Amino acid sequence: MDRCRHASAIINGDSTSPTLVVIGGTRRNELVTECLLFDSITTGQYSCRKIPLPESVTGRYSHSLTAVTMSPHCVWLVIVGGDEEIRWKDVGGGKEVARSIPITDTNRLIMIIELVYSEAGEWIVQSVLDGNYLTSKNYQEKYQSYSKTRTWWMDQLIEYPTEREMKLQRYIQSLHEDLQVAHESKVSLQEALVDANKQVKGDDSNDFISSVLEEMRQEQEKLNQIITG
């Protein structure tokens, strides 16, 4: 299974464990024209199997691949670009360098593999869509149908807050604001205490200022209880 310059993606559906898909690549400067599926990759007990795909899909390397979940039981693998051939060029001195030949066939530049999750509990290929099909009316109708299903399905996954939860969020926000005000008041009170202490320093007979300081200290204790309580 050693290879390089391949493309991979994770697919997942409703009630299925994540599956890794690997398409194409090279091995010792030769194309690897196969597609592998690694099931249950998060359990440590994964299995690997090949799925049949035409060489127009797998016969490439240095390409990109992404998985788009269209429904809980359908995934589209979108494969784009890449190189299709390795040619060797003589550069003199008995040396050759590998040269990559990019895919230029418009039917192969962008392709879609439609996978569906079967009743047997495995992903299988439903269809392979090439560039010609992607510009057809049939594709537009197929996409619109899936798009509506996908929008509905994604909406079911979103948990909108209830009225009670929204009220609780507003109450928590209000508490945060009160605590912020209390914190700012505490800072101002501390500054006032410092100034007052400077004024009465060395004059213990000033009962009036001492009583004011005592009241300010009590207010500070109340604020501390609000902040820490």
Side-chain angles (χ1 to χ4, degrees):
M1 292 189 294
D2 59 314
R3 70 186 64 201
C4 62
R5 295 185 283 186
H6 55 278
S8 60
I10 297 291
I11 62 175
N12 206 347
D14 190 23
S15 302
T16 66
S17 61
T19 299
L20 175 67
V21 183
V22 178
I23 295 180
T26 62
R27 180 186 300 121
R28 291 184 289 277
N29 289 319
E30 292 185 1
L31 285 176
V32 181
T33 56
E34 63 184 13
C35 175
L36 300 178
L37 259 66
F38 295 85
D39 295 318
S40 306
I41 58 175
T42 59
T43 65
Q45 303 292 328
Y46 67 86
S47 60
C48 175
R49 64 186 179 91
K50 294 182 181 180
I51 60 173
L53 284 175
E55 194 168 319
S56 58
V57 175
T58 61
R60 66 182 73 203
Y61 61 97
S62 298
H63 51 288
S64 64
L65 177 68
T66 189
V68 181
T69 303
M70 303 304 291
S71 77
H73 303 289
C74 177
V75 172
W76 280 10
L77 298 176
V78 183
I79 188 167
V80 180
D83 299 322
E84 63 179 346
E85 186 180 353
I86 300 174
R87 293 180 184 174
W88 294 92
K89 181 179 180 181
D90 187 353
V91 294
K95 294 183 179 180
E96 291 184 333
V97 295
R99 179 187 174 193
S100 296
I101 306 300
I103 294 174
T104 57
D105 185 350
T106 55
N107 287 333
R108 296 185 60 199
L109 282 176
I110 301 177
M111 302 185 73
I112 293 177
I113 303 97
E114 183 181 11
L115 297 180
V116 295
Y117 197 71
S118 68
E119 294 181 356
E122 62 181 17
W123 291 101
I124 60 174
V125 178
Q126 178 76 12
S127 61
V128 177
L129 315 178
D130 61 13
N132 275 333
Y133 188 88
L134 296 181
T135 58
S136 68
K137 183 179 179 181
N138 288 338
Y139 167 75
Q140 297 298 328
E141 293 175 351
K142 186 184 189 77
Y143 176 79
Q144 290 296 331
S145 175
Y146 268 126
S147 181
K148 292 178 181 178
T149 303
R150 186 173 188 268
T151 300
W152 175 87
W153 176 57
M154 294 298 290
D155 283 343
Q156 306 310 304
L157 299 179
I158 300 175
E159 295 184 1
Y160 295 98
T162 63
E163 182 64 27
R164 182 175 179 276
E165 290 172 336
M166 293 176 66
K167 287 182 179 179
L168 181 59
Q169 290 176 358
R170 288 194 292 267
Y171 177 68
I172 293 174
Q173 180 64 30
S174 176
L175 286 179
H176 280 302
E177 293 173 356
D178 291 343
L179 286 174
Q180 181 63 28
V181 172
H183 176 72
E184 293 173 355
S185 298
K186 177 186 176 183
V187 173
S188 300
L189 183 57
Q190 287 176 335
E191 293 174 350
L193 282 171
V194 171
D195 292 339
N197 277 320
K198 289 179 180 179
Q199 294 177 13
V200 300
K201 187 176 181 181
D203 186 5
D204 296 333
S205 62
N206 195 328
D207 295 335
F208 175 73
I209 295 180
S210 296
S211 64
V212 171
L213 288 175
E214 182 60 29
E215 291 179 2
M216 294 175 71
R217 290 191 184 94
Q218 292 176 2
E219 290 296 325
Q220 184 179 17
E221 290 178 358
K222 292 179 181 179
L223 289 172
N224 286 338
Q225 291 177 358
I226 294 175
I227 294 173
T228 60

